[in-house]
Amino acid sequence: MKKRTKFAILASIAVVVIAAGVIGGVYLHRIINDQGSVWERSTPVPQTVDISETEATPTPPVFTLEPGATPTPTPTPTIDPFVTLQEQADTSMMKDIVNILVIGVDADEYRETSSEWNGKSEWHSDVMLVIAVNFEDMCVDMISLPRDTYANIPDVKGIYKLNAAINCGGGYMNDDGTVNYAGFEKVCEAAEWMLGGIPVDYYYAVNMDTVKALVNEIGGIEYEIEGYFDIGGRFYEPGLQHMDGQAVLDYMRVRKKSSNTVQWTISTSDTNRVNRQKQMLVALFQKMKNENLITNIPGIVSAFSGRLFTNCTAGQTAALATFAYQLDPANIRMHTMGGNSGSYFGWNFVFTNQANRVELINQVYGVKVSQYPQYTIQYGKYRWGTMLEEHYLDLCKPLTEYVQKLIDADDLLPEFTPEPSASVSPSPSISPEVSATPDIPTIDTSTATPSVTAEPTSSPSSTGEGTGAYESFSPAARLSSVGYYTEATPLTRQYTEEQRQLFKDYLTCLDELDDARDTADSEAKKARNGKSNSLSSAANKYLDKLTELQDKAIALAKEFGYEKKNFENTCYPNENYRSRSAWALNYWDDKSVNEVNVDFN
């Protein structure tokens, strides 16, 4: 193992141990006082005394001092701190493999009060690190569980990220402001699910303010920032500089650009943020080691007051400390139970690679567990498609009926206005003897009303038949007979062939969506039963057809004047995620889907 890698592992363990409060003190005390190797215990060998020939009550020796001599004080025996630790340890837990879950809650005062977060008060278990302590083989496996993992929260119905486990357990805090330990227990249950049922019985949990308190307690740190970034109205430039607790926390947190006034040169990916956190932890540990800050351990531990929570007893913590004290760093392994990322279900999720998950669990625990076929990215796409289809069809049903009604009414009209066939009477010849200006008879309009009878003009029916029931009616009468006529009804067709074709294409898309759904259903069933399947391609085609339907429906609504709030708006109208277009599926507000409403913002 490379020296830098070993050091990074030691640093990560040291920070976790300091958070626990006890293990760090013993470990760092050992380093500072240079009592042999860090990982090899020097056990004092007791002296053997033969008392077989001694008196039962020995006479104390009498010492006589020369005049003016100064008595030499009797040295106080040095107490080995490891022996003291062993005396405090509850070793009953030190069997086989024990899982310790380190939980990091994203709670801090800034998020709770700043306008940037709109008074955020819903906290998540953003850091979940399983430490598998193998007492038999004297090794440790550290398994990172990504916070955005698409996961099942045991005994809670819904679609959740893994970091919502604490919310599904009642949240981080109770209504009275006290810490809710049931939330931490629910995170342990979710971690157990990730491990295929392997128990996770113990946890240590901290919040974000703990980082600031720790850094401030040791006087900050000199650190070289690699690029520009800003967060919470605070701006940082690259270069070597002194960083206090707030600056360190900002550096480890920053991922999203919040201002245009600074040209960012720092990476914004979540992976790089994790790397920055590791590098900062190494630097903090190096300072504590170089400056002999072990004497401040009591003050450092006090800085965690109210921010360090565990279900381990003091004896169990001491037992873990004795194990860590003797652990060879070469026996520490790092893992991540990762997978593929995708924006489905309205959020960004990490879909665990189930084959890798099973292999990892077998490697660490020697246990073969089953895959979770319904928690792959392929199945996630399919499930999201079924939810979108139901929502989309609910939106499209009134649109379909609206346009169909217009087309049906339009089909009852003639395609064009027929030319009138007027009879023209020949003009009488005028005799030369007759005056050019004949006498015009006077018509009594009070009693005479001319009656004009027009022959009905027949037009082909909409079905193409030459004759039909509508031939003897005017267009107005034909529309009135089916209840469509108003004074504003046109007397010729108003929709073009292009418009009618748009409707036909839309209806065809609905039929094709049915076919895509049937295929996806079949492949999903195979996946659930562990059979070979083509769910990946079927789910992709299913989602593509839903996107096509949305596009065609929006175009159709615009062409035929269908008005519905936000029907055409497929983007977020503002930064409030809850104010989306009609096409957005806010399922998390529906308790029939999500039993617990969790805000992932």
Side-chain angles (χ1 to χ4, degrees), residues 45 56 147 192 218 230 244 247 271 291 301 364 369 402 419 490 570 596-597:
V45 179
R147 63 175 188 171
E192 287 182 2
I218 66 174
D230 71 296
D244 62 6
T271 299
E291 298 186 9
V301 172
V364 173
V369 300
Y402 172 83
E419 293 293 336
T570 57
V596 178
N597 184 299

Side-chain angles (χ1 to χ4, degrees), residues 336-351:
T336 299
M337 197 174 288
N340 301 310
S341 297
S343 296
Y344 305 104
F345 301 101
W347 304 100
N348 291 321
F349 281 90
V350 173
F351 295 86

Side-chain angles (χ1 to χ4, degrees), residues 33-183:
N33 289 280
D34 194 23
Q35 299 176 10
S37 170
V38 171
W39 301 107
E40 295 180 2
R41 176 168 56 89
S42 176
T43 304
V45 179
Q47 295 181 354
T48 302
V49 179
D50 185 3
I51 62 172
S52 59
E53 299 179 1
T54 60
E55 298 179 357
T57 306
T59 303
V62 178
F63 297 94
T64 303
L65 295 178
E66 295 293 333
T70 303
T72 302
T74 302
T76 302
T78 302
I79 300 176
D80 189 339
F82 182 74
V83 174
T84 302
L85 189 65
Q86 282 183 313
E87 294 173 351
Q88 299 171 353
D90 176 4
T91 60
S92 62
M93 72 180 301
M94 301 176 69
K95 298 177 182 178
D96 300 323
I97 300 177
V98 172
N99 288 321
I100 315 294
L101 183 63
V102 176
I103 304 170
V105 183
D106 65 344
D108 73 345
E109 183 179 357
Y110 171 74
R111 291 188 175 193
E112 188 173 0
T113 59
S114 73
S115 57
E116 177 188 359
W117 289 90
N118 296 319
K120 178 179 172 68
S121 60
E122 189 164 1
W123 315 113
H124 311 299
S125 43
D126 268 7
V127 175
M128 289 159 287
L129 181 66
V130 176
I131 303 179
V133 181
N134 190 322
F135 293 106
E136 300 297 327
D137 296 339
M138 287 298 296
C139 65
V140 166
D141 288 274
M142 306 177 74
I143 306 172
S144 176
L145 306 178
R147 63 175 188 171
D148 292 334
T149 299
Y150 175 60
N152 171 49
I153 309 300
D155 302 320
V156 179
K157 182 177 63 176
I159 298 168
Y160 299 107
K161 295 183 180 182
L162 188 63
N163 68 346
I166 194 169
N167 309 99
C168 293
Y172 174 49
M173 305 293 290
N174 294 312
D175 293 338
D176 60 2
T178 59
V179 172
N180 175 33
Y181 286 87

